[in-house]
């Protein structure tokens, strides 16, 4: 599959994706004469999030999961048994030298993504990476260059721009229903994971784990950011981690990030690992507006989290009573990114999620850290294709 494959338009995308999602949901192969090509897939990292990815991947008509890998071999073995995967390995070298595959899905610790993604791309594999794709913009751009040289694809989570609620908000903004857009706010937090220490160590932190969703959504809706100002802090300096005991927290667990999108539009993302939430990590329980955008003639509020949105409330000068829209998920689920990427490899479907957007968000995160260190506003250099939808 070439990286220059033609883009599908929005309508084709929705049609194809809805069909794909219906197939994913039912586990059925599409009712076409020829069965779709299944992309031979290896999954590295068999921890918590693999329990969300593997059920989707193993049901996708576009995926054949051929191998699993984890440096904790018991985890790879257990998931191989549960999901009936023939091969499992304790190291990426063994995985790459073992049963052949074309597409690596990287679900390892945040700090491990960059070098594993590089090794897989260098070996000619397409890559879907959990966030972040790399640890710095420069390294991420290097990975993208490598992917182009090797004629393979690279994508990264999250996929908030693929939801029908994102599409509704983008369309409403493009139609000018809000008048002159002025400001936006987004927030996402919970009490922090307790199963792995990497979330709290250098290269981890609440921004690449949680704020990344809101940053993707707001830059997707309002355009690439030009400048960043941030305040970050550590609220809980020590944490109790299962299997590890007490650890020191060295990356932010509390973040306030201000983005200047140009033309006077300013947004704010608030995120952290110390957010009491009566719904815990359960997306469906959250009914508040976690993303809101206001302009001179209207207001948009995303109901629930942007990774599992439940609808969009809109009020305008013409229609001041808040009305709820886009309540149908249309098959969208946050954990389907790698399956969509495989669908793209199989059919040529172009996704709305792009590596350039993921790298722009990564630059915002590193710029926010620089702003915290220096007390200064930081100018960004990266951008991405916008509007997204
Ligand atoms: N857990 C969630 O609900 C969730 C949701 C969305 C995204 N994510 C993202 O998914 C990624 C993984 O998170 P998690 O919660 O599953 O963590 P986890 O600690 O539960 O799992 C990570 C796994 O990767 C393995 N691993 C680490 N380095 C490796 C290497 N070099 N080679 C092979 N295996 C290696 C670890 O042994 C572990 O089993 C992170 O980027 C996280 O931000 C997690």
């Amino acid at each position: 599959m070439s990286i220059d494959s033609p883009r599908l338009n929005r309508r084709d995308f929705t049609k194809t994706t809805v069909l794909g999602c219906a197939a994913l949901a039912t586990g059925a192969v599409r009712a076409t004469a020829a069965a779709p090509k299944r992309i031979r897939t290896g999954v590295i990292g068999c921890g918590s999030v693999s329990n969300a990815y593997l059920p989707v991947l193993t049901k996708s008509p576009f995926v054949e999961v051929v191998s699993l890998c984890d440096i904790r071999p018991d985890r790879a073995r257990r998931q191989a048994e549960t999901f009936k995967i023939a091969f499992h390995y304790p190291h990426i070298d063994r995985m790459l030298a073992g049963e052949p595959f074309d597409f690596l899905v990287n679900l390892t610790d945040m700090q491990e993504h960059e070098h594993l993604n590089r090794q897989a791309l260098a070996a000619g594999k397409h890559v879907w990476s959990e966030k972040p794709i790399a640890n710095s913009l420069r390294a991420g751009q290097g990975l993208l260059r490598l992917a182009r040289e090797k004629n393979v694809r690279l994508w990264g989570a999250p996929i908030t721009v693929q939801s029908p609620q994102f599409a509704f908000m983008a369309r409403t903004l493009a139609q000018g229903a809000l008048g002159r857009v002025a400001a936006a706010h987004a927030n996402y937090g919970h009490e922090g994971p307790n199963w792995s220490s990497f979330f709290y160590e250098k290269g981890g932190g609440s921004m690449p784990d949680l704020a990344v969703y809101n940053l993707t959504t707001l830059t997707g809706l309002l355009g690439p950011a030009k400048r960043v100002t941030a305040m970050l802090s550590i609220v809980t300096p020590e944490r109790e981690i299962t299997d590890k005991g007490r650890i020191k927290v060295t990356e932010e667990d509390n973040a306030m990030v201000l983005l200047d999108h140009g033309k006077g539009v300013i947004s704010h993302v608030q995120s952290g690992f110390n957010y009491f939430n009566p719904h815990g990590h359960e997306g469906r329980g959250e009914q508040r507006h976690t993303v809101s955008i206001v302009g001179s003639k209207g207001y948009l509020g995303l109901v629930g989290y942007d990774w599992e949105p439940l609808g969009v409330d809109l009020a305008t000068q013409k229609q001041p009573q808040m009305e709820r829209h886009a309540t149908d998920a249309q098959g969208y689920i946050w954990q389907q990114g790698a399956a969509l990427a495989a669908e793209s490899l199989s059919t040529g479907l172009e996704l709305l999620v792009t590596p350039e957007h993921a790298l722009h968000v990564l630059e915002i995160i590193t710029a926010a850290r620089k702003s915290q260190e220096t007390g200064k506003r930081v100018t960004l250099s990266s951008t991405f294709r916008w509007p997204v939808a």
Side-chain angles (χ1 to χ4, degrees):
M1 184 41 219
S2 149
I3 54 167
D4 299 314
S5 65
R7 287 211 157 87
L8 292 190
N9 65 30
R10 174 78 209 168
R11 189 184 302 162
D12 290 341
F13 165 75
T14 306
K15 209 166 78 188
T16 316
T17 302
V18 166
L19 283 168
C21 291
L24 288 176
T26 59
V29 175
R30 276 188 194 179
T32 51
K37 183 180 176 213
R38 286 181 182 268
I39 306 298
R40 290 176 64 83
T41 301
V43 177
I44 189 162
C46 296
S48 166
V49 84
S50 73
N51 293 311
Y53 270 70
L54 284 170
V56 180
L57 286 169
T58 51
K59 284 195 196 98
S60 165
F62 306 103
V63 177
E64 180 189 359
V65 182
V66 299
S67 61
L68 300 179
C69 176
D70 200 297
I71 45 169
R72 292 174 66 164
D74 53 311
R75 291 189 170 183
R77 189 180 318 113
R78 198 181 57 227
Q79 293 296 55
E81 278 164 19
T82 306
F83 292 95
K84 307 200 174 8
I85 314 295
F87 298 90
H88 58 89
Y89 303 97
H91 195 278
I92 189 167
D93 291 348
R94 299 264 303 272
M95 185 192 205
L96 289 171
E99 183 63 12
F101 67 96
D102 300 310
F103 177 41
L104 182 85
V105 177
N106 188 349
L107 310 180
T108 61
D109 304 9
M110 293 193 271
Q111 295 84 346
E112 297 291 305
H113 297 168
E114 181 182 307
H115 79 94
L116 295 172
N117 291 344
R118 187 178 296 115
Q119 195 173 342
L121 293 169
K125 312 296 177 197
H126 307 284
V127 170
W128 172 269
S129 177
E130 254 304 333
K131 54 350 185 226
I133 283 177
N135 301 317
S136 68
L137 174 66
R138 184 189 268 230
Q141 286 170 334
L143 294 184
L144 203 46
R145 270 196 305 278
L146 179 59
R148 290 190 174 124
E149 276 162 32
K150 293 284 182 181
N151 206 23
V152 292
R153 303 291 301 263
L154 168 67
W155 295 272
I159 61 161
T160 55
V161 298
Q162 301 277 156
S163 79
Q165 291 75 16
F166 178 90
F168 177 83
M169 292 177 91
R171 205 165 50 240
T172 306
L173 287 166
Q175 287 163 353
L178 266 54
R180 292 186 70 86
V181 175
H185 168 71
N187 77 86
Y188 175 37
H190 54 63
E191 289 158 60
N194 65 356
W195 57 89
S196 282
S197 56
F198 72 82
F199 291 102
Y200 305 102
E201 293 163 349
K202 189 167 168 49
S206 59
M207 286 193 296
D209 192 43
L210 302 187
V212 64
Y213 293 94
N214 289 166
L215 292 169
T216 303
T217 300
L218 285 184
T219 51
L221 290 171
L222 302 176
K226 312 222 176 294
R227 279 168 288 276
V228 171
T229 311
M231 283 195 196
L232 315 175
S233 67
I234 294 173
V235 172
T236 306
E238 292 188 349
R239 295 251 174 184
E240 204 64 50
I241 301 294
T242 320
D243 297 346
K244 211 163 181 183
R246 214 153 184 75
I247 59 137
K248 281 208 182 316
V249 174
T250 56
E251 285 289 22
E252 84 287 332
D253 65 3
N254 195 30
M256 295 280 181
V257 184
L258 273 172
L259 305 176
D260 171 0
H261 299 266
K263 297 196 177 143
V265 180
I266 302 169
S267 73
H268 171 243
V269 169
Q270 166 181 337
S271 184
F273 286 141
N274 297 278
Y275 283 24
F276 163 73
N277 189 322
H279 319 295
H281 202 183
E282 181 50 59
R284 262 151 294 172
E286 183 54 82
Q287 296 286 327
R288 294 173 307 155
H289 292 168
T290 66
V291 177
S292 57
I293 303 181
V294 69
S296 54
K297 293 185 176 157
Y299 168 89
L300 271 173
L302 181 83
V303 185
Y305 296 123
D306 53 0
W307 50 271
E308 192 170 318
L310 306 173
V312 181
D313 290 341
L314 171 65
T316 61
Q317 221 169 41
K318 278 194 195 146
Q319 192 91 42
Q321 204 64 22
M322 196 93 82
E323 279 187 355
R324 187 153 295 183
H325 303 264
T327 52
D328 185 352
Q330 293 177 27
Y332 163 90
I333 47 172
W334 65 267
Q335 59 274 58
Q336 74 186 156
L340 288 178
E343 180 173 354
S344 174
L345 295 170
S346 175
T347 66
L349 159 88
E350 270 306 325
L351 305 186
L352 299 175
V353 59
T354 63
E356 290 82 2
H357 192 177
L359 294 181
H360 180 66
V361 169
L362 175 61
E363 189 187 18
I364 293 174
I365 291 168
T366 50
R369 292 199 170 126
K370 196 166 171 198
S371 175
Q372 164 63 24
E373 273 164 34
T374 60
K376 295 203 170 116
R377 194 172 294 186
V378 179
T379 299
L380 303 178
S381 63
S382 66
T383 187
F384 60 95
R385 189 190 77 237
W386 190 80
V388 171

